[in-house]
């Protein structure tokens, strides 16, 4: 027999199927979906569930329901996503990262692919032309994780690629290079360049009207879809260039 | 609020204005985003190239950069917690790794913890702390990085405060930091409590502790 401290400092709430929040955060790090029908969820995002819920791969589900293919038009990502269908409560989490829910109404929002955890079937998922990002279009709710709470800023704004979580309504970003930094780095290069390469000279530049979503920077996460995307783009190279790139990549992987 | 201060956006991110005369020095790679005409420049410590080489020889490996111009900038680093420490004509001693950002009007110097000598260097290596620490002096706020947030323990001269070396973040004021080993036979055979090494803080000031013992 154990005594669970309930509420108060250090205490915890004990949930069951009825008392779990309905389409709301359980705490900063987890969210409970009230499932009645279908949701798309990232593979591994589900941490617990109640009820009669079936999880099947997007490809497998699409063979039974034709509408799935038109909603999930991101072939690169099909193997990383599942369709949760049925009735019940679904708890979503992502390694202790903060989780937020967003409501889109006839809108569009682009978000880092690794941070998107789940979305309603009223939304359409498309690959952004910025590698590693996905765009949601339509009306519905979606869940995304972030390192620390999300910070919303308005353009004009320049964001570090590692700290950029996504953007809504504004045009796709362009890449801005800091000339000051480049000149200094070049000098430093001649002088032997102690210290680390930071990437601070390269930012994503946002203009126009819209909202930018930011988080604290994070370590590069392995994104298998991004790997497939870049691999497919190396088809643009001739055999010689591909060989040169291969050698450089081998050298890089051996350095680490 | 004057222009030369940091604003805590959330537990992991701070924001500050950048202006001529209000330049910001930060760890490289820690800038999250900015608006306005802000430019960034890597800095190589006092004395230009010589300073850089000197610093590399001293073993201080954290490269810094300066933000100049007019606008505002966000700083954070790899999802670590950010704590703002207010200095009122005081000196903060902090492990170089944990220094996120401060305004350029604060002066900095690189020093070893304690009063020097080979013994101190050995102590630094054993404590797992960086051998070298950065001293930040003046009046203003300094943003520090930690795992799980930082809290402050006042040291008032009435007694000693013992700190786990891995939990130590930095300290302000005239503190004497001594490294103590109380290893017994159990530690030698690997059955120690894990608390055999401690930093003993005495004097007047405050010491900053992180909630976790995790290293960077």
């Amino acid at each position: 027999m154990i005594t669970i401290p309930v509420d108060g400092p250090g205490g915890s709430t004990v949930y069951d199927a009825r008392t779990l929040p309905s389409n709301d955060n359980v705490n900063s790090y987890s969210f409970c979906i009230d499932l009645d029908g279908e949701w798309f969820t990232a593979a591994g995002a589900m941490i617990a569930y109640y009820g009669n819920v079936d999880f099947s791969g997007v490809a497998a589900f699409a063979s039974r329901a034709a509408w799935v293919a038109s909603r999930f038009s991101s072939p690169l990502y099909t193997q990383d996503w599942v369709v949760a269908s049925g009735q019940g409560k679904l708890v979503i989490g992502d390694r202790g990262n903060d989780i937020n829910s967003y409501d889109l109404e006839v809108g569009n929002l682009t978000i880092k692919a690794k941070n998107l955890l789940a979305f309603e079937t009223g939304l359409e998922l498309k690959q952004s032309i910025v590698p590693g990002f996905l765009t949601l279009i339509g009306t519905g709710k979606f869940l995304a994780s972030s390192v620390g709470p999300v910070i919303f800023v308005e353009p004009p704004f320049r964001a570090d690629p590692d700290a950029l979580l996504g953007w809504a309504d504004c045009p796709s970003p362009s890449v801005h290079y800091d000339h000051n930094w480049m000149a200094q780095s070049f000098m430093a290069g001649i002088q032997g360049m102690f210290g680390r390469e930071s990437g601070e000279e390269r930012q994503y530049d946002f203009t126009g009207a819209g909202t930018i979503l930011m988080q604290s920077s994070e370590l590069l996460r392995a994104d298998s879809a991004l790997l497939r995307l870049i691999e497919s783009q190396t088809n643009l190279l001739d055999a010689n260039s591909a060989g040169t790139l291969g050698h450089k990549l081998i050298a890089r992987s051996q350095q680490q | 609020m004057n222009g030369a201060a940091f604003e805590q956006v959330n537990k992991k991110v701070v924001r500050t204005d950048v202006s001529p005369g209000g330049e910001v020095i930060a760890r490289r790679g820690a800038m999250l985003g900015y608006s306005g005409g802000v430019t960034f420049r890597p800095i190589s410590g006092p004395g230009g190239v010589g300073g850089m080489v000197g610093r590399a020889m001293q073993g201080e490996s954290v490269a810094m950069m300066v933000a100049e111009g007019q606008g505002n900038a966000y700083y954070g680093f790899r999802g670590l917690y950010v704590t703002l420490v207010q200095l009122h004509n005081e000196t903060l001693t902090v492990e170089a790794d944990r220094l996120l950002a401060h305004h350029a009007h604060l002066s900095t110097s690189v020093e070893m913890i304690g009063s020097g000598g080979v013994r101190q260097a050995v102590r630094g290596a054993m404590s797992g702390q960086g051998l070298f620490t950065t001293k930040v002096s003046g009046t203003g706020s300094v943003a520090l990085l930690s795992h799980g947030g930082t809290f402050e323990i006042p040291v008032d001269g009435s007694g000693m405060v013992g700190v786990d070396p891995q939990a130590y973040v930095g300290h302000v004021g005239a503190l004497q930091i001594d490294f103590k080993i109380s290893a017994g036979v159990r530690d030698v055979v690997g059955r120690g409590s894990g608390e055999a090494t401690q930093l003993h803080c005495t004097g007047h000031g405050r010491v900053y502790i992180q909630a976790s013992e995790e290293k960077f």
Side-chain angles (χ1 to χ4, degrees):
Chain A
M1 189 67 190
I2 60 159
T3 310
I4 298 166
V6 178
D7 298 331
S12 54
T13 312
V14 181
Y15 292 105
D16 63 22
R18 277 178 304 108
T19 57
L20 268 172
S22 170
N23 287 332
D24 200 357
N25 275 76
V26 182
N27 57 34
S28 308
Y29 317 112
S30 58
F31 186 96
C32 181
I33 294 170
D34 201 350
L35 188 69
D36 184 16
E38 294 91 11
W39 268 72
F40 289 103
T41 60
M46 186 277 292
I47 53 176
Y49 72 95
Y50 272 111
N52 183 22
V53 183
D54 173 60
F55 298 92
S56 49
V58 165
F61 200 86
S63 63
R64 279 180 276 152
W67 57 266
V68 169
S70 69
R71 289 289 171 214
F72 197 95
S73 54
S74 310
L76 267 178
Y77 290 87
T78 42
Q79 50 192 282
D80 301 333
W81 283 79
V82 294
V83 180
S85 58
Q87 277 81 35
K89 293 271 179 95
L90 204 58
V91 183
I92 301 289
D94 177 31
R95 286 176 276 183
N97 287 329
D98 286 54
I99 296 182
N100 275 306
S101 68
Y102 305 80
D103 291 292
L104 269 186
E105 205 173 325
V106 204
N108 73 82
L109 186 139
T110 304
I111 192 155
K112 194 169 270 181
K114 274 279 147 189
N115 291 89
L116 182 63
L117 299 179
F119 60 96
E120 279 184 325
T121 53
L123 290 165
E124 216 178 299
L125 187 73
K126 292 186 183 291
Q127 286 165 217
S128 166
I129 56 169
V130 181
F133 284 81
L134 289 167
T135 301
L136 289 160
I137 300 168
T139 301
K141 192 187 278 295
F142 68 93
L143 305 179
S145 66
S146 58
V147 180
V150 181
I151 302 160
F152 297 92
V153 285
E154 283 181 6
F157 191 80
R158 293 191 179 125
D160 182 78
D162 289 334
L164 179 65
L165 185 63
W167 62 92
D169 301 327
C170 44
S172 283
S174 55
V175 178
H176 170 83
Y177 285 93
D178 192 322
H179 288 287
N180 208 357
W181 185 285
M182 303 273 282
Q184 292 283 339
S185 298
F186 182 67
M187 296 284 283
I190 291 173
Q191 290 158 355
M193 195 62 190
F194 290 91
R196 265 166 267 162
E197 174 71 38
S198 79
E200 217 77 48
E201 66 277 17
R202 191 171 71 96
Q203 296 115 21
Y204 287 155
D205 191 347
F206 290 89
T207 52
T211 307
I212 301 145
L213 285 69
M214 281 213 327
Q215 60 178 352
S216 177
S217 62
E218 59 180 354
L219 289 167
L220 219 50
R221 281 209 240 170
D223 182 343
S224 55
L226 186 59
L227 174 66
R228 291 193 291 277
L229 178 67
I230 292 170
E231 194 185 334
S232 72
Q233 287 186 347
T234 57
N235 291 338
L236 296 169
L237 300 172
D238 62 85
N240 248 341
S241 316
T244 311
L245 179 64
H247 284 302
K248 282 183 183 164
L249 292 176
I250 289 167
R252 184 181 137 179
S253 69
Q254 282 169 347
Q255 261 176 21
Q256 283 160 355
Chain B
M1 190 176 87
N2 68 39
F6 287 93
E7 177 194 341
Q8 190 103 35
V9 177
N10 62 42
K11 57 190 191 276
K12 294 175 175 177
V13 178
V14 290
R15 196 188 90 117
T16 186
D17 288 333
V18 180
S19 60
E23 289 86 4
V24 178
I25 293 172
R27 185 190 171 116
R28 275 192 216 170
M31 189 275 293
L32 303 180
Y34 66 92
S35 61
V38 181
T39 58
F40 295 86
R41 185 165 59 81
I43 49 171
S44 44
V49 186
M52 188 188 246
V53 173
R55 197 185 50 191
M57 282 164 63
Q58 282 170 37
E60 209 242 322
S61 62
V62 180
M64 306 296 278
M65 62 177 178
V66 61
E68 297 160 316
Q70 183 80 51
N72 60 69
Y74 290 81
Y75 293 99
F77 194 70
R78 293 183 182 169
L80 292 166
Y81 283 68
V82 182
T83 309
L84 292 174
V85 173
Q86 304 298 331
L87 296 180
H88 304 285
N89 202 13
E90 291 166 309
T91 298
L92 168 75
T93 304
V94 65
E95 190 182 352
D97 264 1
R98 300 188 186 278
L99 187 61
L100 177 70
H102 62 84
H103 281 273
H105 68 265
L106 295 173
S107 63
T108 55
S109 61
V110 176
E111 274 176 54
M112 280 172 49
I113 204 166
S115 51
V118 177
R119 253 174 82 214
Q120 289 288 350
V122 173
R123 286 176 175 182
M126 288 179 71
S127 74
Q129 299 295 129
L131 280 180
F132 295 90
T133 52
T134 302
K135 280 187 189 289
V136 186
S137 336
T139 298
S141 53
V142 182
L144 301 184
L145 295 169
S146 65
H147 286 281
T150 304
F151 63 95
E152 178 185 316
I153 298 181
V155 183
D156 60 4
S158 65
M160 178 275 292
V161 174
V163 177
D164 185 294
Q166 271 79 49
Y168 167 87
V169 173
H171 69 266
V172 172
L175 288 189
Q176 172 76 30
I177 312 274
D178 291 313
F179 193 77
K180 297 282 186 218
I181 302 174
S182 54
V185 179
R186 294 178 74 84
D187 295 283
V188 176
V189 297
R191 294 189 175 193
S193 61
E195 309 297 346
T197 57
Q198 289 175 1
L199 296 173
H200 285 189
C201 312
T202 47
H204 289 270
R206 40 194 210 270
V207 58
Y208 290 91
I209 316 290
Q210 63 172 342
S212 143
E213 300 182 7
E214 200 178 329
K215 288 279 298 160
F216 279 11

